[in-house]
Amino acid sequence: MLPPVRLDRFARHIVLPEVGGAGQAALAKTTVVLIGLGGIGAPALQYLAGAGIGMLVLVDDDMVDESNLQRQTIYREGEIGRSKTELAELWVREFDPGIEVRRVGQRVTPANAAQVVAGADLVLDGCDNFATRLAVSDACVAAGTPLLSAAVGRFQGQVGAFAGHLPGEPCYRCYVGDAFDADDCDSCADDGMLGAMAGWAGTFAALQAIRVLLDGSGGIGAPQWGKLHLLDGLKPGMRTLSIAKDPACKGCAR
Ligand SMILES: [Zn+2]
């Protein structure tokens, strides 16, 4: 059970039959690794922290740039040039000192990915490049850790839940293939992005993360492995694709 001092904080969760005291206590025992503290990561962090996740591992190697402020909601003008992981840790500590935080101020590569995801109940990847996404996905499959992958550009977002370590379930690499392992570029700077679109994708990723974390103790529904939700801010609307497991996938095939 939660300590009595935490009950008021989460009262609106606890009163939901789908979450309840047991679900809230379960969330407080979880560790979530958040890869990328940008347009997806910043709003996702705010709602994961709000949900009382027990331990947040904050991963980014970047500094705040003035052009980030239009969508990366935890940073302020006076913080330009400072480390995103340091600022994000400070934000969490001021928001809720009851949450444990660990910082990883490095880019995730195949060499360090296993170490970064170790101990996680879930990894939420909102980073800005395919090379990192694939390294994270492979490490999640190897560690048996669920992965929520979220991306956004212009007026489009994608949020998918992957559990490639489970029989018959695809991983992120099943979805994108191997072509992007060396691809370091992303179209955000070239193509632009509506700030609120990143907020939608990031907060929806936080909702899906909580769905996965409550699987087994709560009732907000199945984790939706292999489902990719496409968010369209122009329409506006959402549609859902099912990703098939690739029997030849180098990330998750046995
Ligand atoms: Zn796969």
Side-chain angles (χ1 to χ4, degrees):
M1 280 305 293
L2 285 183
V5 68
R6 303 282 280 170
L7 292 178
D8 280 350
R9 184 169 191 120
F10 302 109
R12 298 297 183 278
H13 271 177
I14 292 167
V15 77
L16 290 169
E18 294 85 351
V19 182
Q24 190 61 50
L27 291 176
K29 290 198 183 80
T30 59
T31 294
V32 172
V33 175
L34 191 50
I35 315 261
L37 296 164
I40 301 270
L45 173 64
Q46 291 182 296
Y47 281 94
L48 291 172
I53 300 300
M55 164 106 167
L56 291 166
V57 181
L58 308 175
V59 186
D60 203 303
D61 68 340
D62 210 359
M63 312 289 165
V64 176
D65 183 82
E66 186 169 11
S67 66
N68 298 156
L69 301 179
Q70 158 258 21
R71 65 193 181 283
Q72 301 183 18
T73 45
I74 58 174
Y75 308 119
R76 295 174 290 192
E77 185 163 320
E79 297 170 339
I80 291 167
R82 293 179 58 191
S83 149
K84 288 188 178 180
T85 48
E86 285 181 27
L87 291 167
E89 179 181 26
L90 189 64
W91 184 89
V92 176
R93 293 208 185 289
E94 287 179 349
F95 175 74
D96 183 354
I99 294 176
E100 286 185 66
V101 178
R102 191 159 66 79
R103 278 192 283 126
V104 179
Q106 297 167 347
R107 193 175 189 83
V108 181
T109 66
N112 67 3
Q115 202 184 341
V116 171
V117 309
D121 296 291
L122 175 129
V123 174
L124 196 165
D125 187 355
C127 80
D128 62 359
N129 69 91
F130 282 111
T132 296
R133 286 178 186 279
L134 288 165
V136 167
S137 174
D138 291 348
C140 283
V141 172
T145 307
L147 170 66
L148 260 177
S149 190
V152 66
R154 292 179 49 81
F155 295 88
Q156 317 298 322
Q158 298 185 356
V159 178
F162 297 95
H165 56 287
L166 299 178
E169 301 294 355
C171 75
Y172 178 78
R173 188 181 284 279
C174 291
Y175 166 46
V176 299
D178 304 331
F180 296 111
D181 271 307
D183 187 352
D184 203 28
C185 77
D186 187 78
S187 55
C188 167
D190 306 328
D191 289 351
M193 184 192 310
L194 194 82
M197 201 56 227
W200 183 17
T203 54
F204 183 63
L207 170 70
Q208 295 296 80
I210 290 163
R211 178 191 304 276
V212 170
L213 293 169
L214 286 178
D215 185 39
S217 67
I220 76 169
Q224 302 192 325
W225 304 134
K227 298 284 187 220
L228 186 75
H229 298 283
L230 305 177
L231 286 53
D232 182 341
L234 286 177
K235 196 192 222 172
M238 200 159 89
R239 65 197 178 92
T240 303
L241 305 178
S242 291
I243 309 299
K245 192 174 185 90
D246 175 1
C249 175
K250 76 181 207 198
C252 70
R254 302 184 183 226

